[in-house]
Amino acid sequence: MSSLFRKKDINDLVKHASPLKRTLKTWDLTFLGIGAIIGTGIFVLTGKGALTAGPALALSFFMAAICCGFAGLCYAEFASMAPVAGSAYTYSYIAFGEIIAFIIGWDLILEYALGAATVSVGWSGYFTNLLSNMGIRIPTLLTAAIGTTPGVNTIFNLPAFLIVLVITWIISIGITQTKRVNDTMVLVKLAVIVLFIICTIWFIKPQNWHPFSPFGWYSYHNGTASGIIPAASIVFFSFIGFDAVSSSAEETINPSKTLPRGILLSLLISTILYIIMTLTMTGVVKYTIFIKYLNAPILAVLAKTGQTWLSIIVSVGAILGMTTVILVQLYGQSRISYSMSRDGLFPKFFGQVDQKHQTPFKGTWFFGIITALASGFINLNILSELVNIGTLTAFILVSAGVLLMRRTHPEIHRGFRAPGVPITPIIAIIFCITLIAGLNWETWLRFVVWLAIGMAIYFGYGRRHATIKDKKGE
């Protein structure tokens, strides 16, 4: 029984860091975080969020940001203690032991792979719309998975499938190439968002903000939850991925200082932009208008202002925005599976580093192909909440891990210390539990099934092949 909770020694972990190439600096990590965060939230979820909370959606974003911010401080402390690949998975291995680490690693696969597949479907919608505006039409059969849109005959989402494969190729050929592509797309995306704000802020009518919070903090009518808290549970998806920054530890220069800065800067910049965008959009048009523009809420603002010339630019920005999200999600996924393979919990196939590209080439393509197939064939609308519950679970354990490590290993050097411990991690845990409570019971059931599959893999393979067992002669 004790072997289920065998832990990694943090000093040994750092000493045996991998041969991955270190090239990332503070702003590279900040852009990696922004690339993961800004995309779906601004270009897709603002419509659904506004209908759920009204103009108070800005508070929902703030609430979700606080949750991620407190969790981010905990991630930053762990990253400065153990600057190695693996993110929450590795941190849990140090603090809680092997079985908890496997559960978190399995959850992160859910977050990154399914998250990338979900975003790729949104990317496909904007890309198809952009091509349509240019007179190029993709056959309807190839624009979505079966059953995605009632009354519309579709069988496969070809654009989503192809974009995942293209990004998998970029990640597989090296972190330097990944960094350059991501940095370029993030700059263009930020420029488009700033341009949108500058061009539309003059059309704000303060009366559109009244009532500011039509549904209060929480209300329940006709089987649907509304208000600031339910909207925060929805837009939390917008912040998923910032933790992928910490999975790049072994490719980061001076990670004990660089990682915390990258995590916190990316969260701060993204939150500011989310709030400004939300207030601008709900100020230009009444929030009820977004019912007609759920898939592309920004177009409601452009239609109101008459600035249709911006629509193509915004579509390009949306495409680039979601491309960077997919890129960072798949990047994080490849590094998590690499870490689990190195520890023996996954087969060695996933941990083999290609000599030419210095990346886990085979593992990257394995999960890339699975994600591409999922985005092409599966209707991911229902499954998207699984991403949230898996991520929130990881946040809770990382926050609890900081509390535990402060108590059991106070002597370990920390390049960054989360302020306000024990209050900071406790607040993070409370916020995460609050957001989990806003998810429906079907999501809980699917999550339990996913964990059951993971446990079958752990007891059938991982526990017997764990490298930590070999070192201790168990």
Side-chain angles (χ1 to χ4, degrees):
M1 184 68 179
S2 61
S3 64
L4 296 176
F5 296 95
R6 51 197 173 198
K7 300 178 182 179
K8 283 194 169 190
D9 179 81
I10 192 168
N11 296 316
D12 184 62
L13 196 65
V14 173
K15 186 168 69 174
H16 292 91
S18 76
L20 298 179
K21 190 176 181 180
R22 294 187 183 273
T23 61
L24 301 177
K25 301 177 181 178
T26 297
W27 281 107
D28 294 319
L29 294 180
T30 301
F31 273 44
L32 199 65
I34 293 173
I37 296 169
I38 296 181
T40 310
I42 282 181
F43 298 111
V44 178
L45 293 180
T46 43
K48 184 177 181 181
L51 290 170
T52 304
L57 176 63
L59 293 179
S60 300
F61 270 115
F62 186 64
M63 182 179 179
I66 289 176
C67 174
C68 291
F70 280 109
L73 291 170
C74 297
Y75 267 89
E77 176 166 326
F78 254 123
S80 70
M81 278 195 299
V84 294
S87 187
Y89 158 74
T90 300
Y91 308 155
S92 296
Y93 219 144
I94 295 169
F96 300 108
E98 186 173 282
I99 190 169
I100 302 298
F102 184 92
I103 290 172
I104 289 302
W106 191 243
D107 282 350
L108 291 176
I109 290 175
L110 191 70
E111 173 188 348
Y112 293 138
L114 187 56
T118 303
V119 176
S120 72
V121 173
W123 182 97
S124 173
Y126 270 95
F127 182 72
T128 302
N129 182 65
L130 179 62
L131 290 183
S132 179
N133 290 336
M134 298 169 61
I136 303 172
R137 297 191 179 277
I138 298 176
T140 304
L141 282 174
L142 301 178
T143 58
I146 297 174
T148 298
T149 306
V152 179
N153 188 21
T154 54
I155 59 172
F156 184 70
N157 196 326
L158 181 61
F161 176 80
L162 292 178
I163 188 59
V164 171
L165 290 183
V166 169
I167 293 176
T168 298
W169 172 74
I170 292 172
I171 295 171
S172 70
I173 62 175
I175 186 60
T176 300
Q177 289 75 14
T178 303
K179 177 183 71 175
R180 288 171 182 166
V181 171
N182 182 72
D183 289 357
T184 301
M185 288 192 291
V186 168
L187 282 173
V188 173
K189 172 173 61 176
L190 292 178
V192 169
I193 291 171
V194 171
L195 176 65
F196 174 83
I197 293 172
I198 291 173
C199 291
T200 58
I201 198 170
W202 316 104
F203 294 88
I204 290 177
K205 294 181 179 180
Q207 58 264 35
N208 286 331
W209 288 329
H210 300 287
F212 185 72
S213 182
F215 309 107
W217 285 97
Y218 189 94
S219 61
Y220 193 81
H221 299 290
N222 299 323
T224 303
S226 301
I228 295 170
I229 292 177
S233 297
I234 293 171
V235 300
F236 175 78
F237 186 89
S238 308
F239 291 95
I240 288 177
F242 83 86
D243 52 314
V245 173
S246 61
S247 69
S248 64
E250 292 184 39
E251 293 155 286
T252 299
I253 299 172
N254 193 14
S256 64
K257 295 183 181 295
T258 307
L259 278 173
R261 292 172 185 165
I263 290 170
L264 299 178
L265 276 173
S266 61
L267 271 174
L268 177 63
I269 294 170
S270 300
T271 301
I272 291 172
L273 286 176
Y274 273 145
I275 291 174
I276 293 175
M277 279 288 287
T278 298
L279 290 174
T280 299
M281 293 172 66
T282 55
V284 174
V285 299
K286 194 69 175 176
Y287 74 91
T288 52
I289 298 296
F290 291 117
I291 190 68
K292 302 177 182 178
Y293 297 88
L294 276 180
N295 294 327
I298 285 181
L299 297 184
V301 178
L302 297 179
K304 179 71 173 180
T305 61
Q307 296 172 316
T308 52
W309 60 273
L310 260 180
S311 61
I312 293 180
I313 297 176
V314 169
S315 293
V316 171
I319 289 169
L320 291 179
M322 286 184 276
T323 299
T324 58
V325 174
I326 300 169
L327 187 149
V328 178
Q329 297 277 26
L330 290 176
Y331 169 77
Q333 165 59 67
S334 67
R335 272 42 180 183
I336 294 296
S337 58
Y338 164 80
S339 297
M340 295 181 75
S341 173
R342 184 175 59 183
D343 295 335
L345 301 181
F346 272 7
K348 293 181 180 180
F349 170 86
F350 297 101
Q352 294 175 353
V353 177
D354 181 77
Q355 292 302 311
K356 178 181 178 181
H357 301 103
Q358 291 185 295
T359 62
F361 191 87
K362 295 178 181 178
T364 298
W365 272 106
F366 178 87
F367 280 108
I369 291 171
I370 289 178
T371 303
L373 290 172
S375 64
F377 284 109
I378 302 175
N379 181 353
L380 297 171
N381 294 330
I382 297 175
L383 298 177
S384 61
E385 285 192 351
L386 271 172
V387 182
N388 286 0
I389 195 170
T391 307
L392 287 165
T393 303
F395 284 8
I396 289 172
L397 285 175
V398 169
S399 300
V402 167
L403 284 172
L404 183 63
M405 291 297 287
R406 285 285 188 99
R407 182 177 178 180
T408 58
H409 295 284
E411 78 288 353
I412 293 177
H413 172 71
R414 293 162 170 83
F416 173 85
R417 295 177 69 89
V421 175
I423 302 301
T424 296
I426 290 174
I427 291 176
I429 291 170
I430 291 172
F431 269 96
C432 288
I433 291 173
T434 301
L435 293 180
I436 286 177
L439 300 173
N440 58 49
W441 69 269
E442 292 95 342
T443 300
W444 281 91
L445 179 60
R446 295 183 188 105
F447 186 59
V448 170
V449 172
W450 176 258
L451 287 181
I453 296 172
M455 286 297 92
I457 294 174
Y458 173 71
F459 286 104
Y461 180 89
R463 188 183 181 192
R464 294 185 291 107
H465 293 83
T467 57
I468 193 172
K469 174 184 64 177
D470 297 332
K471 291 177 182 178
K472 295 190 177 183
E474 296 178 7

